[in-house]
Amino acid sequence: MKRSFDFVVKFANVNGSGSASANLLFAKSLFRMGLGVVPKNIFPSNIQGLPTWYEVRVTQTGRAARRDGVDIMVAMNAQTYSQDVAEINPGGFLIYDSSLPRAFSRQDITILGIPIARMCAEVYERPRERQLFKNVVYVGALTALLDMDFSVVKQGVHDRFKGKEHLIRPNVKALEMGRKYAQKHFDCPLPIRVKKGRGDSDRIMITGNEAAALGCLYAGATVCAWYPITPSTSLAEAFEKHAKRLRLDKDDKRQVAVVQAEDELAAIGMVIGSGWNGARAFTSTSGPGISLMAEFIGLAYFAEVPLVLFDVQRGGPSTGMPTRTQQSDITACAYASHGDTKQVLLFPADPKECFELSAEAFDLAERLQTPVIVMSDLDIGMNEWVTKPLEWNDARVHDRGKIMTAEMLDKAQHFGRYWDVDGDGIPYRTLPGTHPTKGAFFTRGSSHDAFAAYTEDGRINAENLDRLTRKFATAAQVVPKPVIRKSGRTSKLGIINFGSTEPAVREAVELLAREGYKLNTMRLRAFPFGKQVSRFAEQHERIFVVEQNRDAQMRSLLMTEAGIPGEKLVPVLNYDGMPLTAEWVRQQIEAVIETDKSVAKAMRLSMRAM
Amino acid sequence: MTYMKKPLVKHPDLPKNELGLTRRDYEGLVSTLCAGCGHDSISAAIIEACFELDLPAHRLAKLSGIGCSSKTPTYFLNRSHGFNSVHGRMPSIATGANLANRDLIYLGVSGDGDTASIGLGQFCHAMRRRINMAYIVENNGTYGLTKGQFSATNDKVSKSKKGEANLFEAFDLCTLAIQLGAGFVGRSFSGDKGQLVPLIKAALRYNGFAFLDIISPCVTFNDHDASTKSYGHVRTHNETMGRLDFVPKMQEITAQYDEGETVSVPMHDGSLMRLHKLDDEYDPRDADSALATLRKRYERGQVVTGLLYIDEDEADLHALLNTTQEPLNAVSMDKLCPGNAVLQKINKSFR
Ligand SMILES: Cc1ncc(C[n+]2csc(CCOP(=O)(O)OP(=O)(O)O)c2C)c(N)n1
Ligand code: SF4
Ligand SMILES: [Mg+2]
């Protein structure tokens, strides 16, 4: 068999069996060896007993997209044997627990049986240990089969059990058992193996939720109110973990408040109360929470209260697929709440951008005095991604927006909370408690005039709505710009994508280029759309809009909000809940290019222009 | 029209408080509620209480939900920031506001629909979290603003204006409050200013969740003979558990009571709650006795008013969360943002 250095290892486990930390040890060790790793956790919405998978794509190039097809399957779950074995690429390998005899029908794969349960039963006393160390044994075997640097793996065990040193010995023992068994019984290493990596030692491996939480910390968020929901929970939890350590005053009191609310309505209500009162506040949730928060999001929009909301999207509709990824809350968030409402959305594409855009979100929310929704998803939020290190510019000044201090109020002739003094649609606000006699106003969700007074005069209300439109136009100028990549300068074919589809789209563009199809890409980073978006549309004849939902939600938004004609926008839709693969994107786009006459025409146009 | 400003006529001889302010300085816009609505009397009592407390109005934030009652913050304390939020959700707004700035005084005003129906969950959780605020329910047993539907505090024996029966038992908000962690619980009547003003003063000063259930008749929809939330019914069935004197810090105690009947509860800020009891079977510091008394009297058809329960151990959410003394909205960014050097260390932990 041909040697391969770009391969996929998949672990089939039972959830609750302790496999997660062993699988992470495997991925992290490869990462530390300087290889590209793309780990994806494919887990059930369940605590114990159901099938769960962990997939690691290993690359030399540092590609970040998931890839279909399994080269090595570590099958540890008898419930799913047949399905798992069927998934292995021809020429691939099956590693399984051979403590009990098994027959597998495939002739085109190599089967490597290791009596894992028996080995553990011989060495460990307690049932829980026997179970847990089974996972470590197969990692040990993989170190030999794939020619991994064993010292790196051992170091990983040491780091993992810092503070619980008594666990290091038995873990290393299990690793060695697996490794020795493989060395003795199999022809190690396999043709599929690791090659020394690029040694990008500055890279980090982090989940988007953790990075976003750090972004909130660096943005100076002091209030987090949240309600648990997969896949957003780890964001609030990570924030609390870091804040507990980094936000202590000299008396060890906390310069932060984290409240687990009774539901999402209360969570966003608290965030609005804090934002109104001048603290930077946020909440994190997923689709069902967005639906519950809708009324309050409208209040914050209309009363112009800054807040940051993370929507770590999962499969919908309704409870949907809580542990699978989608980008299907675009419409619900862009127009969250009844009446004429529009919300500012940000679309991070990886954990590093989760950090950067969450910090940016707080500046935007206060500058624009409106909710800013950071649209992450399960893939970015919960999977570990390899990214460049996080960075903070110490010279950066947090933009707190237009707030009138007591001195400013003393100097001012009038104060009108919703008075568009600067013509950018953004009024000035005051914080409660600022001045004994000036600047107090009544915040309300009912129609109001420039001085925050209740009005039932429809013309005044319409004027206020128009000002909000002006404010949204200002937002379009200040939100993060899209990232445009030209594959062929003159290509008339383009791709628009956003968020976690980025690695697959980047790789697909390379694959397509190899076949002679050059496409320019524009990765959206924010809504409302800036002028770059319409310009990109004008420059291209046909644009593939790649997104992970059924209804082409972003495409609709581009049509209605950027005025791009629908004929131009070809939907490329995935909604099976799995992180996107480059191969899938390539196939979809190629199929259209080869069958659709108008696309072919666009192709010819770009050829001629070349 | 709530946007109507009251004409500012200054009388030089209006009495002034310690801050040199008159009652007029604590007023709001002209009320747009029905003439005779109980809610307006409560607004007047709030104005009086704040005036007497020498409260700097800008250091108080008034918060409400939706309903006739929730409109009232427009009608008092013009110099305070106000937040008329959404139906039933004032408690979460108050919680967040309080988290952001622990130094302000928070006054929440709600209705029985706003609190006991759509907002019941948030109300319960705000008490459980012991938010430092005064929470007033202007209880008329009906949904005033949507024109007279029964609310969950409407007594089962009470009928609608058209004579329709009410099928369900009422929630007793005071019982609920005592059970769920409110440290200060009182009931009063919009028509009894003498009882109401000291209760509001004490509630504003209490450090923790102070709850006041104030019967406030809706003259338009629920003030008829068959209603237990009518002026007539409350006047004839009102049973006061005791008279409360709120003695602010440093003020001399002048009123004289027979010792045995008076309970003095010192507060953390040096002020004193003195309760002149009328029923010696019960002690407002004892939740069980307060609950039993409420139950017993309710079964007799009485409307028990006064300070019903007080937890001397004041504690609020900030104490429970161990937050810093400085208001979170005032902590400077250089303290909040750990800087790049720390971030580089954090990066290391992800390698
Ligand atoms: C989500 C929502 N549902 C319904 C309403 C309509 N609504 C307005 S006020 C009200 C009831 C208010 O009753 P209460 O709190 O007792 O106040 P009151 O008017 O009696 O003082 C209702 C149902 C609303 N504003 N919002
Ligand atoms: S309807 Fe009832 S509650 Fe509303 S203002 Fe009139 S009297 Fe008051
Ligand atoms: Mg009512």
Side-chain angles (χ1 to χ4, degrees), chain A residues 295, chain B residues 39 66-70 87 110-115 118 138 140 142-146 151:
Chain A
E295 186 190 20
Chain B
H39 300 348
I66 296 288
C68 295
S69 37
S70 293
H87 197 19
S110 177
D112 44 318
D114 201 59
T115 287
I118 191 167
E138 305 189 344
N140 53 17
T142 188
Y143 290 12
L145 195 59
T146 51
S151 87

Side-chain angles (χ1 to χ4, degrees), chain A residues 110-126:
Chain A
T110 308
I111 295 167
L112 309 172
I114 307 174
I116 301 178
R118 203 177 333 129
M119 287 158 71
C120 287
E122 279 163 16
V123 175
Y124 302 105
E125 292 286 322
R126 289 198 296 270

Side-chain angles (χ1 to χ4, degrees), chain A residues 195-212:
Chain A
K195 209 162 76 172
K196 205 174 152 22
R198 294 190 302 180
D200 274 332
S201 59
D202 73 326
R203 302 264 158 155
I204 59 169
M205 195 165 121
I206 188 171
T207 66
N209 282 351
E210 182 121 22

Side-chain angles (χ1 to χ4, degrees), chain A residues 386-498:
Chain A
V386 175
T387 74
K388 288 192 183 139
L390 309 180
E391 271 165 60
W392 185 260
N393 177 2
D394 286 327
R396 174 179 177 153
V397 179
H398 297 83
D399 183 352
R400 306 304 308 265
K402 300 182 189 178
I403 300 177
M404 301 275 281
T405 60
E407 297 76 56
M408 288 161 80
L409 284 166
D410 273 329
K411 282 193 204 123
Q413 294 268 342
H414 308 281
F415 167 70
R417 169 63 183 97
Y418 300 108
W419 193 12
D420 188 6
V421 181
D422 302 328
D424 56 1
I426 308 171
Y428 286 77
R429 63 181 184 133
T430 56
L431 302 181
T434 301
H435 193 288
T437 55
K438 293 180 169 177
F441 68 96
F442 211 75
T443 305
R444 56 175 95 243
S446 42
S447 42
H448 43 264
D449 66 13
F451 294 85
Y454 179 70
T455 179
E456 290 183 5
D457 183 330
R459 285 162 308 180
I460 292 176
N461 190 48
E463 271 171 29
N464 190 35
L465 290 174
D466 289 341
R467 180 184 56 77
L468 287 167
T469 302
R470 233 162 28 241
K471 185 166 93 165
F472 211 61
T474 303
Q477 294 169 26
V478 298
V479 294
K481 298 191 173 19
V483 180
I484 294 173
R485 286 201 165 76
K486 298 266 167 120
S487 164
R489 261 203 171 284
T490 51
S491 175
K492 293 285 167 202
L493 287 179
I495 297 179
I496 293 180
N497 73 308
F498 57 96

Side-chain angles (χ1 to χ4, degrees), chain B residues 294-313:
Chain B
L294 274 170
R295 178 94 222 142
K296 207 161 56 194
R297 304 270 182 139
Y298 182 76
E299 274 160 14
R300 283 189 222 150
Q302 295 172 334
V303 182
V304 175
T305 59
L307 174 70
L308 304 174
Y309 172 68
I310 185 160
D311 180 353
E312 298 158 278
D313 299 326

